[in-house]
Amino acid sequence: MNQIEITHNPFTVDTKFLINGQPPAEGCKLSSYKESRLQIWVESLFDELNNLFNGEDDFHVIFTGVESDFLDIQAAAIMAKEKGIHADVDWISVQPAETRLEKIKELINEAKSHPQFGSYLDNNEKVRESLEEAFNCDFDVYVVATMSAGKSTLINAMLGNDLLPAANEATTATITRIIDDEQVKGKFKAKRFDEMGNILESEENIGLEKLKIWNQQEGTFRIDIEGDIVAIEKRDNVRLVLTDTPGPNNSQNDEHRRKTMEFIQDSRRNPLILYILNGTQLSTHDDKILLNLVAKQMSEGGKQSKDRFIFVVNKMDAFDPEKGEDPSKTLDNVRNYLKSNGILNPLVYPVSAYLTGLIRKPHDGHSRKERCDFQGLADLFSEQPCMNLVQYMPITSRVKRTLSEKKYTPLMVSSGLPAVEVMIDEYIDKYNLPHRLKRAYDALLQSIKVGLNEAHLIEQLNDDQKVLDQLLTEIQELKNRKKKSFDSETYKENINKDGKHLPQSTVDLLVKIEADHKNYTKHISERFDGGVDVKKANMMVREVEEDLNAHYQQLINEYEKAYISSQELIRYELENDYKFYVAELFDHCQNLNLPMLAGIKQTITDISVNLIVGKEDIDTKSVKTGSYEVSDSKWWNPFSWGSTKTRSTCEDQEFVDLKKFWQNHEFDLRNQYSTLQKSARKKIEKKKDDLVEYFLSFMEREFTNKFDELIASLESKVNDKDERVQAIEAAKQRLEWINGFKEKLDRTMSV
């Protein structure tokens, strides 16, 4: 048996492997996993081990890390067993993320209280942004469903309160965010917002009837509700934000629909998606649109891209086992249905949200119907072993243990929803907290690096007078070279003359988006062939319109992602340009080989190049779109091939030639998508140019000022012995403090 030791640190994203006591060779596949998150490679781990040992299939794995990662290793071992690979897995536990986050908070407070080091945290835009993200407690869970899946019933069950409108019809017409706040006891506070984020109305104690009015009221874009989500474990470092999204067939405007798709497409933050399916009614056209989008996201990422989609099969209480309606057969149908939409090995969780809600609702608040329903469901779930829905769920041993610790009644556990709620907690531990810790760790490391370089620079002033005189001479030359290379605007002219092209990866992404669109429209055009009667033509056109509108919203989101990606890449390139400029500035100092000059160079390189595009930089002007104007902050044009136009074309004919119909409208469609493409590319190019302008502005103002301040400070210390002695002593003390701080940070993050 081969022994495999794996130590994975999800907080620094570092993995160490030992194969029978020896590290793997550099060319080995396992070596490429060293700096990747475990969920990227865990599913292929045992296949790689099998290949590494030329088909040997007996392994003993000793895993050191957090429990959620160990459970993924364990699950991979179970999958490997189905391929004939045997693997025993043992676990050495380490301190969980939440404990470490508290210690990191203490370290940051300690750092901020230091008179010098605190400025490294406050004066660097990237460091501040990373720390803000690390300690933003909000964790997003988006609830997505088509009409009549029981979405509102499920959310109400999680709230333990009949707050959201729930009926056998589409009830969510706007985006509703429910922010967990256990301090708000016995009531829910709410605010109603328009599309620009302005508060239209607020209520200190919102109720069902008022929410119904707000939900349908013109101008409502989003509703924020604060209150206690009783189903979710309370944490000091996490605040759940549960977002009820409007179904694609029931949004008040296309922006709602686009936002729902954006949540699904968000592979950057990877929010958790609860996709609610109606166990009694699969295969709606709206489901297919969203599921195809989910399938695309799941296929493009690692394990996290699969874990973040939880398929909740609701209304399992509608089946009667005594009539041969077996829940396991229903779930097989669901898996086959998801597979037919491109979703392989989905996480499927059957629930009766209605039963969970009835249990949590005070029984003296039940209506007559609810009392009858509760008694019937309690009998059904208690008397029929097959109605214990947890038995059908792919839950981990940790979820089972947590459910047991919560002391729920057997009936509550059987309803299924509590297990889904515990899954949310597991996802937070597995992905959200480690990601936040990594952000905080990287930000502190960056500040430590700057602090060490600056302190070392001052410490090096402890040289003899001859070296200091040489340094003064070289500093003067450095100032002269800087003046010639930048004050003459040579540097600016070179950038303006050569231009700054879009990164190749952005160009490739735009080409891919447009190629995918061509393939999609080709597929759509193939559906328009032959002749049909008017009724069938109208049905087909309405269905295609829904598909095209959904595709259009997806394209907008894809272009938005390309825009964000291009901004990051261009910022990175400009920062490298800055480092190259500094290197050229010091190029002629190499022959002197003064350590002090290297210190000056490093300190200047560490100057923060702040190229963050704020909200104030986003377009807010009116833009001409076809024959009318839209005044908002969006850059895209609305989709205008509306149903009125197409339906009237069909209704004027007794018989519809589908091919001819498509040819009549294809030109309009091409124009719409062409306008979108041009608008997107124009925006990406414009913001690229804006970043270059920000960079040049930084070089002209901030860099020049900071460079001059640093050089003047060094000259003063070189010329004034007393000042120099004091600065050197202070630098030594700072170095000692920073090194001690880094040791504490490394201990906190170590596994």
Side-chain angles (χ1 to χ4, degrees):
M1 179 180 290
N2 294 293
Q3 181 166 294
I4 315 298
E5 297 173 60
I6 304 173
T7 302
H8 180 70
N9 188 331
F11 318 118
T12 59
V13 190
D14 175 70
T15 308
K16 293 181 176 61
F17 294 93
L18 287 177
I19 312 295
N20 294 325
Q22 298 296 318
E26 279 304 313
C28 174
K29 183 74 172 177
L30 296 184
S31 297
S32 66
Y33 297 155
K34 288 179 180 178
E35 296 179 359
S36 297
R37 193 165 293 283
L38 178 139
Q39 282 70 32
I40 299 295
W41 48 262
V42 67
E43 291 179 311
S44 60
L45 172 64
F46 290 100
D47 288 334
E48 293 300 336
L49 289 173
N50 186 250
N51 291 334
L52 180 64
F53 286 95
N54 298 315
E56 287 189 42
D57 54 12
D58 201 4
F59 302 102
H60 178 214
V61 176
I62 302 171
F63 178 77
T64 301
V66 297
E67 184 178 11
S68 55
D69 288 340
F70 164 69
L71 293 173
D72 280 345
I73 294 278
Q74 201 173 52
I78 293 170
M79 288 175 61
K81 189 176 181 181
E82 296 174 2
K83 301 176 183 177
I85 301 172
H86 175 76
D88 293 324
V89 184
D90 291 328
W91 175 43
I92 300 174
S93 65
V94 300
Q95 196 175 57
E98 208 147 12
T99 306
R100 296 170 192 264
L101 202 58
E102 286 298 327
K103 291 182 178 179
I104 289 287
K105 278 184 183 177
E106 293 172 8
L107 285 175
I108 288 173
N109 289 333
E110 180 184 342
K112 286 184 174 180
S113 66
H114 190 278
Q116 188 69 37
F117 195 85
S119 66
Y120 305 143
L121 301 181
D122 294 335
N123 296 336
N124 188 305
E125 183 73 30
K126 286 185 181 176
V127 168
R128 289 205 312 272
E129 187 184 61
S130 292
L131 290 178
E132 284 171 9
E133 182 180 337
F135 294 102
N136 177 6
C137 293
D138 289 349
F139 175 73
D140 288 309
V141 176
Y142 296 107
V143 187
V144 176
T146 51
M147 190 170 71
S148 301
K151 176 162 56 72
S152 297
T153 301
L154 183 140
I155 294 174
N156 284 338
M158 293 180 71
L159 296 176
N161 189 300
D162 287 342
L163 182 65
L164 302 186
N168 291 321
E169 57 186 26
T171 52
T172 306
T174 189
I175 296 170
T176 302
R177 296 168 73 241
I178 304 160
I179 300 130
D180 190 18
D181 187 351
E182 62 178 339
Q183 302 302 318
V184 184
K185 291 291 185 183
K187 64 177 183 177
F188 290 89
K189 299 192 297 185
K191 293 177 182 175
R192 184 168 71 92
F193 296 86
D194 66 15
E195 195 166 349
M196 303 305 292
N198 301 310
I199 298 176
L200 301 175
E201 202 172 345
S202 63
E203 286 279 346
E204 281 299 306
N205 190 4
I206 196 79
L208 175 63
E209 293 307 315
K210 188 69 172 181
L211 272 177
K212 283 182 179 179
I213 295 169
W214 279 12
N215 192 42
Q216 300 295 339
Q217 204 162 346
E218 187 176 351
T220 302
F221 182 76
R222 191 184 85 234
I223 298 170
D224 279 5
I225 301 172
E226 291 182 51
D228 187 17
I229 302 177
V230 299
I232 300 301
E233 192 74 29
K234 305 307 173 198
R235 295 169 175 261
D236 292 333
N237 294 303
V238 181
R239 182 175 72 165
L240 185 72
V241 180
L242 198 64
T243 299
D244 182 15
T245 64
N249 53 0
N250 190 48
S251 57
Q252 289 186 353
N253 59 39
D254 277 344
E255 179 67 358
H256 286 144
R257 183 178 194 172
R258 188 189 70 79
K259 290 299 289 185
T260 299
M261 292 178 170
E262 184 183 278
F263 301 146
I264 293 172
Q265 290 173 277
D266 189 355
S267 55
R268 181 185 179 84
R269 294 185 309 120
N270 287 311
L272 189 62
I273 306 290
L274 295 185
Y275 196 111
I276 317 301
L277 292 160
N278 183 346
T280 67
Q281 181 188 349
L282 297 173
S283 192
T284 68
H285 186 68
D286 293 315
D287 252 338
K288 287 183 178 294
I289 291 172
L290 289 181
L291 288 175
N292 288 337
L293 187 59
V294 170
K296 184 173 185 289
Q297 299 305 306
M298 291 179 69
S299 66
E300 290 179 351
K303 192 174 188 303
Q304 184 175 4
S305 66
K306 299 172 185 173
D307 285 353
R308 78 182 188 95
F309 292 101
I310 294 179
F311 297 94
V312 180
V313 186
N314 197 17
K315 302 192 177 183
M316 293 300 293
D317 49 80
F319 298 99
D320 187 352
E322 291 183 341
K323 293 182 178 179
E325 296 171 349
D326 187 349
S328 61
K329 291 180 181 177
T330 298
L331 296 175
D332 285 341
N333 291 338
V334 169
R335 292 186 188 95
N336 289 331
Y337 170 64
L338 293 174
K339 185 177 181 180
S340 71
N341 283 279
I343 297 172
L344 306 179
N345 301 316
L347 299 172
V348 175
Y349 295 84
V351 306
S352 168
Y354 185 45
L355 175 56
T356 309
L358 289 175
I359 295 171
R360 285 187 171 142
K361 186 176 181 179
H363 285 209
D364 58 4
H366 283 181
S367 66
R368 181 187 298 274
K369 180 179 184 305
E370 286 174 335
R371 288 197 300 272
C372 293
D373 289 347
F374 177 71
Q375 189 57 57
L377 291 176
D379 290 345
L380 173 65
F381 277 73
S382 300
E383 295 171 6
Q384 294 287 342
C386 67
M387 293 305 292
N388 180 3
L389 299 178
V390 175
Q391 66 185 299
Y392 307 109
M393 296 181 175
I395 58 176
T396 63
S397 57
R398 178 180 176 180
V399 170
K400 292 176 184 176
R401 185 176 70 243
T402 305
L403 277 173
S404 175
E405 290 169 354
K406 285 180 176 290
K407 307 295 184 185
Y408 286 137
T409 64
L411 183 62
M412 173 69 94
V413 174
S414 294
S415 71
L417 187 55
V420 174
E421 295 160 353
V422 174
M423 280 290 300
I424 293 173
D425 271 324
E426 186 170 64
Y427 187 90
I428 289 169
D429 283 332
K430 188 172 181 178
Y431 295 112
N432 179 259
L433 292 176
H435 170 75
R436 289 167 56 192
L437 267 169
K438 178 76 165 65
R439 293 284 287 184
Y441 178 66
D442 288 345
L444 289 174
L445 280 186
Q446 175 62 25
S447 299
I448 287 170
K449 174 175 171 286
V450 172
L452 287 174
N453 289 335
E454 191 174 293
H456 279 307
L457 173 62
I458 302 300
E459 193 182 39
Q460 289 169 8
L461 286 169
N462 193 16
D463 269 318
D464 60 39
Q465 193 59 47
K466 182 180 178 182
V467 173
L468 293 176
D469 289 342
Q470 281 183 296
L471 181 63
L472 280 174
T473 302
E474 191 56 41
I475 282 176
Q476 187 57 48
E477 286 299 314
L478 189 63
K479 288 162 68 176
N480 293 337
R481 282 198 297 277
K482 184 256 177 188
K483 187 173 183 179
K484 288 178 183 176
S485 67
F486 189 74
D487 287 357
S488 65
E489 297 200 345
T490 303
Y491 188 74
K492 289 174 66 177
E493 288 172 8
N494 286 339
I495 285 190
N496 286 326
K497 181 179 68 176
D498 297 338
K500 172 62 68 175
H501 300 292
L502 284 177
Q504 187 58 46
S505 58
T506 300
V507 174
D508 293 343
L509 182 55
L510 291 174
V511 169
K512 181 180 183 303
I513 290 171
E514 283 143 24
D516 288 348
H517 165 64
K518 286 181 181 176
N519 288 334
Y520 179 83
T521 51
K522 181 175 181 291
H523 171 71
I524 287 288
S525 69
E526 289 170 353
R527 293 162 67 176
F528 284 87
D529 194 21
V532 295
D533 61 41
V534 175
K535 183 178 179 181
K536 189 170 182 179
N538 273 318
M539 289 176 59
M540 182 177 178
V541 167
R542 282 194 293 271
E543 188 175 291
V544 169
E545 279 180 355
E546 288 179 19
D547 289 349
L548 287 169
N549 270 289
H551 174 65
Y552 188 78
Q553 306 303 324
Q554 290 173 39
L555 270 182
I556 291 170
N557 291 337
E558 291 294 340
Y559 277 124
E560 280 287 313
K561 287 165 70 175
Y563 160 70
I564 292 169
S565 171
S566 71
Q567 292 279 286
E568 291 177 346
L569 291 167
I570 293 163
R571 277 199 294 267
Y572 178 76
E573 287 184 3
L574 289 172
E575 287 167 10
N576 282 340
D577 287 349
Y578 171 68
K579 291 174 184 176
F580 182 74
Y581 169 73
V582 173
E584 281 193 322
L585 197 60
F586 282 81
D587 198 33
H588 298 286
C589 303
Q590 300 299 321
N591 57 330
L592 287 176
N593 197 28
L594 292 176
M596 184 68 184
L597 287 170
I600 297 173
K601 176 182 175 182
Q602 186 59 58
T603 302
I604 291 172
T605 304
D606 286 340
I607 292 173
S608 176
V609 185
N610 294 329
L611 297 175
I612 304 298
V613 180
K615 290 182 180 177
E616 68 277 6
D617 301 307
I618 305 298
D619 296 333
T620 55
K621 61 177 185 250
S622 296
V623 289
K624 189 78 173 177
T625 58
S627 60
Y628 55 94
E629 287 192 340
V630 178
S631 180
D632 60 12
S633 61
K634 308 302 182 293
W635 52 268
W636 57 81
N637 291 329
F639 186 76
S640 65
W641 188 51
S643 58
T644 302
K645 181 177 180 181
T646 53
R647 285 176 193 164
S648 62
T649 304
C650 292
E651 288 165 359
D652 290 340
Q653 305 173 49
E654 294 180 1
F655 181 80
V656 180
D657 184 328
L658 289 176
K659 192 167 187 178
K660 184 178 178 182
F661 174 83
W662 174 255
Q663 289 170 347
N664 289 339
H665 292 282
E666 186 179 14
F667 180 75
D668 290 340
L669 282 171
R670 286 182 186 275
N671 281 342
Q672 289 293 327
Y673 288 119
S674 176
T675 302
L676 173 65
Q677 175 189 331
K678 289 173 184 175
S679 297
R681 283 182 171 267
K682 183 178 178 181
K683 176 191 177 182
I684 292 170
E685 287 281 353
K686 169 74 166 56
K687 293 303 178 182
K688 176 259 294 179
D689 295 339
D690 287 347
L691 278 180
V692 173
E693 283 300 315
Y694 296 152
F695 177 64
L696 294 175
S697 177
F698 157 79
M699 290 294 292
E700 196 162 16
R701 294 195 308 269
E702 291 185 58
F703 166 72
T704 297
N705 291 337
K706 290 174 183 176
F707 178 92
D708 291 345
E709 284 174 13
L710 173 65
I711 296 301
S713 174
L714 288 173
E715 286 180 315
S716 175
K717 290 177 176 62
V718 171
N719 289 318
D720 187 327
K721 184 177 180 181
D722 290 341
E723 183 184 350
R724 184 166 73 248
V725 169
Q726 288 180 350
I728 290 169
E729 183 58 33
K732 287 179 178 177
Q733 293 177 10
R734 201 180 331 151
L735 277 173
E736 184 179 352
W737 186 91
I738 292 174
N739 284 324
F741 181 82
K742 187 175 186 304
E743 284 180 15
K744 286 188 276 189
L745 177 64
D746 289 340
R747 281 199 303 271
T748 300
M749 301 297 284
S750 171
V751 299

